Amino acid sequence: MPVAALGPYDDSNIFARILRDEIPSRRVYEDDFAIAFHDINPQAPLHVLVIPRGPWRSWADFSSAAPDAEIVGFIRAVGAVARQLGLEEPGYRLLANAGLDAHQEVPHLHVHLFGGRPLGPMLVR
Ligand code: AMP
């Protein structure tokens, strides 16, 4: 079910539980601000989710209310994950769903990172 972009943070969402190591994930990266792990239902040969450690529900609250250090740390982490996975040369796609129209399903901010093959145009032409 899609979730709204704004509202109280739900500490029991699946990514909060992954952050607390209550459920397993295939982590590929972690630092003080973010972790990254493989998506359980990959849509490309490489499909990784990068999430901030902080309790942010979506790009909406993160971009307006997160401390500068968390925003900088998270953005740098997304770039570091792509670099670490060797995706800078072939290229990659980033995507963040926010709210109902975008069909955001997990109410913890996440950026999808896709790569590993030519991804084609983003929208059907
Ligand atoms: P979104 O629609 O942007 O909220 O995307 C949620 C993503 O989380 C989907 O691509 C799911 O496949 C992925 N996902 C859900 N549960 C897990 C999990 N336990 N481990 C890894 N990825 C997950």
Side-chain angles (χ1 to χ4, degrees):
M1 283 289 288
V3 295
L6 289 172
Y9 182 77
D10 170 11
D11 213 29
S12 67
N13 80 77
I14 193 114
F15 293 169
R17 299 182 62 206
I18 283 176
L19 271 165
R20 294 195 296 264
D21 279 327
E22 290 170 8
I23 58 170
S25 67
R26 291 169 57 215
R27 284 194 196 201
V28 296
Y29 179 88
E30 54 190 305
D31 65 20
D32 287 349
F33 296 101
I35 70 168
F37 50 91
H38 288 279
D39 194 291
I40 206 168
N41 182 22
Q43 305 297 311
L46 250 168
H47 182 175
V48 162
L49 300 169
V50 192
I51 71 173
R53 288 191 185 273
W56 305 105
R57 188 176 167 99
S58 75
W59 202 267
D61 60 348
F62 183 68
S63 62
S64 62
D68 290 359
E70 286 189 44
I71 293 175
V72 171
F74 180 64
I75 298 289
R76 287 202 193 283
V78 173
V81 173
R83 205 153 44 241
Q84 180 182 298
L85 293 173
L87 293 174
E88 284 187 335
E89 164 72 25
Y92 57 93
R93 177 170 291 154
L94 301 176
L95 182 149
N97 293 315
L100 298 171
D101 277 2
H103 212 279
Q104 179 181 354
E105 290 189 343
V106 180
H108 184 112
L109 172 62
H110 48 286
V111 169
H112 297 255
L113 193 161
F114 303 101
R117 67 164 164 79
L119 296 164
M122 194 176 78
L123 300 175
V124 177
R125 292 182 175 156

